[in-house]
Amino acid sequence: MADIPVRESVMTQGAVLFIFGATGDLARRKLFPAIYSLYREGKLAEDFAVIGVARRPRTEEEFRNDLYASIQEFSRYKAENDQEWQVFADHFEYKSLDINNVEGFHELRRQTESIENKFNIQGNRLFYLALAPELFGSVSKSLKEGGMLDGKGWNRLVIEKPFGYDLESAQELNVEIREVFAEEEIYRIDHYLGKEMVQNIEVIRFANAFFEPLWNNKHIANVQITLSETVGVEERGGYYDHSGALRDMGQNHMLQMLTMIAMEPPSRLLPEDIRDEKVKVLRSLRPFESTEDVKTNVVRGQYTEGSYRGQQLPGYREEDKVDPQSNTETYFASRVFVDNFRWAGVPFYIRTGKRLPVKTTEIVVEFKSMPTNVYLGQKHKLEPNLLVIRVNPMEGIYIKINAKKPGSESDIEPLAMDFCQSCMVGINSPEAYERLLMDAIEGDSTYFTRWDEVATAWGFVDRIAKAWQQTPDTLETYAAGSWGPEGAHKLLEQDGFKWWPVSGQDEDNVIWRVGGPQ
Ligand code: BG6
C-alpha cells in the first residue's frame, strides 16, 4: 500500500463548492484534479464538500466513477489508496438540474443544508460556473430565487472566460451578474494568473536589485511576449470561429501578462492595490486610432494546410465546425505601447497562434545594447542582454550576458545562465487551477480580474476587431507548423528587432531554443 502523505496544517476555510457544468471538460480536466491535489496536500480542510451540478442525470456512483477517472488521468497525484479514496469521494455529491427551474434550486438548497450538517460546514458557498457565459446571468438569478444565497456564511461566484465578446456584451453580462453578486463576491478566472511563473514576475521584478532599477525605458529596448501553441482548434471549432485568437488569448492572457511586466510596484501587497496598478497599465495602453493604425501595428493570420513532425495537418477552414469561408484569425501579433513615464517609447510585442511549431509561453525582456563607440563595443559585436521568463510548459529563468570566450585572447561571446525550475527533481508546481481555487476559498482576489480590468482590456481590443471587420484583406496565411505570417516578422524588423527564439524541453530535459537568432 502506498504511503499517504502527511497532511500539512495549512487549512482553507470550510465551504461547499458547487461545480456547475460538472459533466463538462473543464471539470474533468482541471477542477476535479485540482480539488484532489489540494486535498492530498492537506490544503483542503476536512469540512469541505463538492456538489457537482449539471443537466444530465447521473447516480452518485456514476458521478464518483467519473471523478475517479478524471483524477487518474489528469491529476498530479493519483488515487492509490482505496481507503483514502473513499474518504475523499464521500465529500462529493451530484445534482441534476435545469438551471431555469427554480424549484430545482430549492431542492439543491435542501441537499446543501444536509451536506453542510454532515461535514459541519458553516454556510460558506462557492459557486463555480464552468458553463457558457450566456448562462451566468440565469444561474445567478436562480441561485438567488432558490434561496441558495441565504446561508450563514459567505457566497462567492467564480466564472470563466470568455467574459463577453466585446465591451458591450461584457457590460451586459456584468449587469446581469451584479444584480445578484457584489463585485467583491465575483472571482473572474484568467488561468494564466494562476501560473507559477506569471506570479513569479512580481518577485523577479521587485525582489531583485539588478532588475528593478533597470526596469524602464532607459534600459529596456523592447519586451516580447509569445504564447504559441501546437494544437489547432480541436473540437472547439464552433466557439473558436466566433472568437479568434485576439479574443481567445489577447484580451485576457496576453494583456494580463503585459500588465504584470509593466505595472508599478503597489503601495501595499493587497489585492486591490495590485489590481489598481494593473488597471493603470491597461489605461495607459496607446489606443489604435484608425484602421490604418491597426494595419501598421497589428498582424493577423490564419493557418492553412501544412505539416508538423512529418504529420500532415489540415488548414483552419477544413477544421470541424469552422466556416469554410472563415476569416477568423488563428494568429495575431501586435506592437503595443504603454504610454507612461516608465515605458514611453518601449515597444511591447505580443504574439499568439495555433498550429505553431512549439507549445510555449515566454516573456523576453531585451535590454538596450552597450554603446558601440566605446571600449569593447568598438571592436566587438556585443549581443544585447536578455532576461527570459519561461512560463509554460517549461518554467524557469534564462539570462543572456556577454563574457570572454574561455581560452581566447579577447573574444567575447554570449553566455546563458539558465535556471529550469520544471527540470528540478522534486519540484511539482501546482496547476493554475489549484492555486486559483484555493485563493477563491480563502477570499484572496489578487489573481482574479476585476471588472475595470476586463472592461479596459475589451476597450483596447475592440478597436482592433472593428478595424479588421473593415479590412478583410489584411488576413495573412501561414502554413500549419510554421512560425506564423510574414507580417509578424516584418513588424519587428521595421524597428530593427527580431523575435528571439523560444525555448522548450524534450523528454530528456534537454533544453533547446528555436525560431530566430540565438
Ligand atoms: C485558453 C484558450 O484560455 O487557453 C485556449 O481558450 C488555449 O484556446 C488555452 O489553448 C491555453 O492555455 P495553456 O494553459 O495550455 O497555455
Side-chain angles (χ1 to χ4, degrees), residues 161 191-192 195 229 236 248-249 253 354 359 392:
K161 66 168 261 285
H191 79 278
Y192 263 70
K195 290 191 191 275
E229 296 190 280
R236 295 163 77 223
D248 186 49
M249 300 287 234
H253 310 323
K354 300 263 185 214
K359 161 79 183 162
N392 183 36

Side-chain angles (χ1 to χ4, degrees), residues 232-233 302-306 312-320 322 330 355 478-480:
V233 289
Q302 187 188 73
Y303 63 84
T304 53
E305 201 185 334
Q312 268 313 109
L313 298 169
Y316 176 68
R317 291 181 182 178
E318 284 96 64
E319 299 276 16
D320 194 27
V322 166
T330 56
R355 286 278 189 243
Y478 62 100

Side-chain angles (χ1 to χ4, degrees), residues 2 48 81 131 137 159 244 263 278 300 338 345 359 388 409 432 479 504 515:
F48 86 97
N81 178 300
L131 299 170
I159 47 181
M263 72 184 223
K278 285 170 63 200
R300 61 176 175 147
V338 179
K359 161 79 183 162
V388 182
E409 209 137 287

